[in-house]
Structures are given as C-alpha cells and as structure tokens.
Amino acid sequence: MTPHALAQSVAILTTILAVAGIGYFLAALIAARIFLSQRRKPLAAFAPGVSILKSLKGLDPGMIDAFRSHCRQTYAGEYELLFGVSSLSDPAVKAVQQLQAEFPTLSIKLIECPQRLGTNGKVSTLIQLVPHARHNFLLINDSDITVSPRYLERVMACFAPQAEPYANPAQQVGLVTALYRGRAHHTLASTLEALGIATDFQAGVLLSKWIEGGLHYGLGSTLAVSRNALEKGGGLEVLVDHLADDYELGARISAAGYRVVLSAEVVETNIAAYGIRGFLDHQLRWARTVRDARPWGYAGLIFTHGLCWALLNLLASGASPLSLWLLGLSFCLRLALAMTVGAEVLSDRQVLPSLWLLPLRDLVAMGVWVAGFAGNTIVWRGERFLLKNGKLENTGR
C-alpha cells in the first residue's frame, strides 16, 4: 500500500470512528436526561432496618469524616454500622473508636476479622462481618465514601414494593447501587481521575442502564442487598477471589432473577493524591478489570473516544473541512456531556473548573484503553496480581 493510500485509509477509518463517537455522545446525553427525569419521582415511604458493613485496612485521608456522614442520617428506620479489620493493631481502629465516642447512641461495632479466605481481603472481611449483622438488609460501601443525610432514605426506598411502577412487578429489587463523584486532592493525576469519573465512567453507567433496560452489575460506592437476594446470588463467599466483587455481586443477583436498581443518591469518594505512576497503575487496574468482566463492552469503548478520533482525523485528513466540522461537533458534544453528567447529574463542583483538562484526560484514557488489551497483570494495594476470569492470582511484588 502506497503512503497516499495508507493516509486515505486512516482518514476514512478515523472519520467513521469520529462519527460513531458523536453518536455515543448523543446517546449518553439522552440516557443522562432520562435518569434526571426518573429521579425526580417522589420516594416511597419504606425504611427497613439495615446493617452497614465496612471493611477497613489502614487510615486514609478524610476517612473519619466519611464515617461521620453515615452517622448523621435522617432515617426513619433502624441502622447499625459494623467495621471489620483484619487486626486490632490496624490504624483504622482508632478512627472507629473515636466515632463510637462521638456517637454513643448509635450502634457502632468494631469486629476483628482475622481470617484470610481468599485473595480479595475486603471480601474476606465482609464475609466475617455478616454473621454479626442484625438486619435483613445489608449495605456495603467503600471506606472512603461520603454520603448525604438522606443517603439511607433514598437507597432503601428503592426496595419498596412498586417503587418503580414502570418496572416488571414480577421481579423484586435485589440490589441497589449508586453513582459517585470523586474528590480530587491537589495533583494533576488526581484531578484527571476525578474528571474521568464524572464525565466518562458515570456517563457509561447511565448509557448501559438505558440500552440494556436496567443495570446488571453493582458499583462499589453502594451495594445495598436483601439477605434473600444475596443468598440466591451465591453469597459473598463466591466473590472471595474476584477483583471486581461489586460488579460480580450485581451480575449474580441479576442472573438470579432480581432487579438491580440505581438510586437517586450520589455519593462521593476520595481520590488519592496520586503521582503519575500510581495514577496509571490505578487506571490500568480499572481498564483490565472492565475488560475481564465485560470483554465485548470493553471493546465497544472504542466508540467512546470520539474527541480523540476527531483529533486524529484532523491530522490524517490534513485539516479538511469535514475534519474541522467533526472536531467542532465532537468537542461541543463532549463538553455538553461532561457538564450534563458531571455538573447536573453528579453535582460535582470540580468539573467546570477542570474542563480545560478534558482533551488531555481523553487522550490519556485512550492510551490506557489500548494498554488494557496488552496483558492481565494489575497492581492493587502495592501487590501484583494476575487477573484471569475475574479472579486474582498473587504474583508477588
């Protein structure tokens, strides 16, 4: 193939991908608008007892404030907090003890969970917490999640019979999950990750919910589950060697015939003050986890990089009028999606000041997406694992 013919082929291919990217942006905007209209519906009056389970390892910045947010709920029902640590020498123990002193009337328990039941230490701890839970509904979320005072009210209302009149009444709600935004901490890498969560990842969640007729997986920001659904889904024990335990739990409960519902609540997670190496390790872990869990969905992410394809098309076509038009339209739709999902759906105040970083973030994301195909090794909490069929194999440091 001559250089001219090769350049023409690249120009044609990037034109097709840029047009597909425009289609993706439009579809994601529609999905976001549908979600916004649905969450305006009044909440059902349903407040069952719920046990909040948290697996802890170490003390992260802002963790105690995240704990406090769970203690300030305007919830009509009973709830308790169960914190699990592998050892009572863990630094997180002092934070829980401080919480117990600040909220003496609230049921807050610290439980030692010394057994390592599999490669996923978090799930190992959660399995050991379940027997201590008093209520028929369990809520699992990550240790750094900060919530609003109406968090439990909004999440647990989704379990009410006919809380969603448009849904199939033959299917009970088995699991409720929630969108989240990231709070960045003073580094470029941290800001880029928070921007990606708000303007890309959550947009993909909303689009998959729309085109698949509902969610069929969970998000680690919130996993509220009935004991019956958890049992029918195989329990937590089957997840003990899985990296994407949140995704897998939702997928198993959905496969058991229950509905997975996205709450109106949006929670917040802390983004570490990453350096570039830590950021890339984290991004690559996410990418390879998604590729392993949803291989065809991961391949389909080729269409989400519309702005990058438009930029490449501009170069490949020598800044033709069509390429300029595609780039302008892609950029406008990308901004619209970022503002709709990031600012409106998630109420993320960091999005608008960070929009100037969006092209850089999208270029990095495209590079990570390509690298996601190049192996099965991930780094998690300083340890190196091999990811195979959703399960982890420790390969050492």
Side-chain angles (χ1 to χ4, degrees):
M1 182 179 291
T2 66
H4 178 69
L6 178 62
Q8 279 189 323
S9 298
V10 171
I12 292 171
L13 178 61
T14 53
T15 298
I16 293 170
L17 290 171
V19 171
I22 288 170
Y24 166 78
F25 293 149
L26 286 170
L29 278 166
I30 293 170
R33 286 294 164 195
I34 290 172
F35 177 75
L36 284 168
S37 67
Q38 289 176 348
R39 78 174 183 184
R40 295 190 187 102
K41 296 175 181 177
L43 293 175
F46 188 69
V50 56
S51 298
I52 301 173
L53 313 183
K54 284 184 174 286
S55 172
L56 306 182
K57 183 180 180 181
L59 191 61
D60 297 324
M63 183 181 284
I64 185 65
D65 289 328
F67 293 169
R68 289 186 183 113
S69 71
H70 290 71
C71 299
R72 294 170 176 150
Q73 296 296 300
T74 57
Y75 186 58
E78 292 185 22
Y79 73 100
E80 62 178 350
L81 284 90
L82 280 66
F83 295 93
V85 290
S86 61
S87 168
L88 293 178
S89 63
D90 192 291
V93 168
K94 291 184 178 179
V96 177
Q97 291 171 339
Q98 180 181 341
L99 199 71
Q100 289 171 323
E102 290 182 18
F103 300 91
T105 61
L106 191 61
S107 178
I108 302 173
K109 299 176 185 177
L110 175 64
I111 299 166
E112 185 177 18
C113 306
Q115 293 179 281
R116 185 66 182 252
L117 304 174
T119 51
N120 190 321
K122 182 183 83 171
V123 175
S124 293
T125 299
L126 292 172
I127 291 169
Q128 295 167 77
L129 284 178
V130 169
H132 298 273
R134 293 190 293 117
H135 299 296
N136 288 326
F137 287 92
L138 308 177
L139 191 153
I140 300 165
N141 61 19
D142 294 335
S143 60
D144 63 345
I145 292 294
T146 299
V147 302
S148 78
R150 298 186 65 191
Y151 173 62
L152 287 180
E153 177 188 0
R154 289 172 175 152
V155 170
M156 300 311 296
C158 297
F159 287 104
Q162 297 182 339
E164 291 181 285
Y166 53 85
N168 181 359
Q171 283 188 299
Q172 293 181 343
V173 174
L175 184 142
V176 179
T177 192
L179 299 174
Y180 61 95
R181 57 181 176 266
R183 185 192 301 166
H185 284 87
H186 313 302
T187 67
L188 175 62
S190 183
T191 301
L192 289 176
E193 182 160 307
L195 188 63
I197 289 170
T199 67
D200 185 23
F201 180 76
Q202 305 299 342
V205 171
L206 294 175
L207 182 57
S208 71
K209 176 181 181 294
W210 179 43
I211 63 177
E212 294 176 16
L215 285 185
H216 301 283
Y217 54 87
L219 303 172
S221 57
T222 294
L223 296 166
V225 60
S226 67
R227 285 186 185 263
N228 285 340
L230 181 62
E231 182 181 351
K232 293 288 180 62
L236 293 175
E237 289 79 6
V238 296
L239 309 176
V240 77
D241 289 316
H242 285 266
L243 173 60
D245 51 272
D246 51 354
Y247 174 92
E248 190 70 22
L249 179 61
R252 287 172 181 268
I253 288 175
S254 176
Y258 290 88
R259 281 189 290 134
V260 176
V261 174
L262 189 60
S263 167
E265 177 77 2
V266 175
V267 302
E268 185 169 273
T269 183
N270 272 303
I271 306 297
Y274 292 118
I276 295 300
R277 176 62 182 272
F279 167 73
L280 291 176
D281 282 345
H282 196 213
Q283 292 291 305
L284 197 55
R285 174 163 67 86
W286 270 358
R288 289 179 175 166
T289 300
V290 173
R291 192 202 74 194
D292 186 81
R294 293 165 63 94
W296 286 108
Y298 188 77
L301 292 178
I302 189 172
F303 303 117
T304 68
H305 302 291
L307 185 57
C308 295
W309 293 125
L311 284 167
L312 290 172
N313 181 247
L314 182 75
L315 297 174
S317 64
S320 69
L322 176 60
S323 69
L324 289 168
W325 182 84
L326 287 174
L327 179 59
L329 184 56
S330 295
F331 185 70
C332 289
L333 288 173
R334 183 71 179 99
L335 284 179
L337 181 61
M339 290 186 287
T340 299
V341 176
E344 195 170 354
V345 173
L346 303 179
S347 300
D348 190 340
R349 296 179 181 178
Q350 298 176 119
V351 167
L352 296 182
S354 302
L355 281 179
W356 66 280
L357 289 169
L358 202 56
L360 173 61
R361 185 268 153 197
D362 282 5
L363 286 169
V364 171
M366 188 173 184
V368 169
W369 175 72
V370 172
F373 288 102
N376 295 313
T377 302
I378 60 138
V379 177
W380 188 28
R381 291 185 178 271
E383 295 183 81
R384 191 171 295 275
F385 295 90
L386 186 66
L387 181 62
K388 187 179 294 184
N389 297 323
K391 295 187 176 182
L392 296 170
E393 297 178 11
N394 199 322
T395 62
R397 290 185 176 273

